[in-house]
Structures are given as structure tokens and as C-alpha cells.
Amino acid sequence: MVNISVLVSGGGTNLQAIIDKIESGELAGAKIVQVIASREGVFALERAQKAGIKGKVIKETEELLKELKAEDTDLIVLAGYMKVLEPAVIEAYRKRIVNIHPSLIPKYCGKGFYGKRVHQAVLDGGETVSGATVHFVDEGVDTGDIILQRQVPVEPGDTADTLAARVLKTEHVILAEGIKKVMADLPEKGGK
Ligand code: GAR
């Protein structure tokens, strides 16, 4: 079993997608051992509770590392996590941290590009195609190796909200696919 700690900061629809896909058997071999939120009161924590998964708010790196270790974490999934992880975490879980980003990296990513801002920038840039990316997390912001990417059309008349909703649907699909891919390559699963 691959133990996954999911880190969140918001509504948690990507978390829900992983929960649902584990339950349906689409993401067999994975177990969410805990959900860690960067702040109090996020709906993602309610989703965790409803699914019977341990949830907690953690703001400090020391405590985060301790909890990740305590739950025997194999893989960390950033599912709408709006904080940049400290190098100590990256170092401890190199190639074991996966992030979902709502654009086609290297476009519309990096510092300041998160959530709705990404989609507004895509619209302002006059793009006709956007998308989502699953990638490994390294010391930079959205600079880690790309695992999986999928295009989503920008439709005439789109607002940041309508585009976000369309991209989010694709995120839910490729996040699980990306996790599957990474799980297959984990050393303890016979991968590299
Ligand atoms: C998602 O669109 C995710 O890609 C984005 O935040 C949203 C979280 O939604 N993440 C970033 O922008 C990270 N740079 P969710 O809480 O419903 O999963």
C-alpha cells in the first residue's frame, strides 16, 4: 500500500477526486493516511472528516515533517496547497511530492500564479487553449519535472470562473492518473 498525505488549502475538490477514485478502485493500492491543511476552516478538512480520514492544520515545517513521518508517508500530494514547501521537506521527499497546477506549465505558473489568477491571466493573454499539469515539486515554484499534462479549450465568453470550472474537471482526472504513474515508479513498488 502506498501511504499518501494530502496537503490542502481550500475547497478540496481534487482531494475529493482522489478519495472517490480510491473508493471506486480506480486508484488501487493507495491509501490517504492524512489530510493536512495550511489554515483553519477549509472545506477540504470537512471532506476528510466525512471520508473518515485524519485531518489537521499544520503551519510549521518541523511539525509537518514530524506528521509526515509519523504516518509513514510514501507520497505527498499537493491538492490546492497554497504554501511553498520549505527545502527541508523537498529534500526529505525528493520525487515523492506531486502538485496539480491549473495551467499548461511552463505557461502561467510560478510565483503569483495560483487559483483564479491563473485563469484570468490565461484570458488576458488571449489564449485559446489552457489546461492542467501534474508535476513533481522541487525547490522552485512550479519548476519540477512534469508528470502529466492535458489541454482544455478556452471558450469564447469564458470568465475566470467558467474556465476554472472546466480546467478543474480535467485536474480531477489527471491528478489520479499522475499519482498512479508515480506510484508505479516508487522504489518500494519495484520502480526506479
Ligand atoms: C485547483 O485548481 C488547483 O490546481 C489550484 O488550486 C485549486 C484548488 O482547488 N492550485 C494552484 O493554483 C497551485 N498553484 P481544490 O481545493 O478544489 O482542489
Side-chain angles (χ1 to χ4, degrees), residues 10-15 79-82 99-102 113-115 168 171:
T13 65
N14 278 292
L15 164 69
Y81 189 65
M82 298 304 178
N99 181 46
I100 177 85
H101 184 79
F113 285 103
Y114 55 85
L168 203 48
E171 292 184 41

Side-chain angles (χ1 to χ4, degrees), residues 43-94:
F43 191 65
L45 283 176
E46 284 184 40
R47 293 182 190 270
Q49 194 184 18
K50 214 172 158 199
I53 300 165
K54 179 179 148 185
K56 198 174 179 183
V57 175
I58 297 183
K59 295 177 181 172
E60 288 180 356
T61 297
E62 288 281 295
E63 196 192 348
L64 177 60
L65 279 168
K66 210 175 117 202
E67 278 300 324
L68 291 169
K69 224 173 172 187
E71 292 299 333
D72 210 5
T73 301
D74 298 306
L75 192 64
I76 301 170
V77 174
L78 308 188
Y81 189 65
M82 298 304 178
K83 264 176 90 171
V84 175
L85 291 172
E86 294 288 336
V89 183
I90 314 287
E91 193 63 46
Y93 291 90
R94 174 103 30 216

Side-chain angles (χ1 to χ4, degrees), residues 68 106 111 163:
L68 291 169
K111 224 169 165 230
L163 179 57

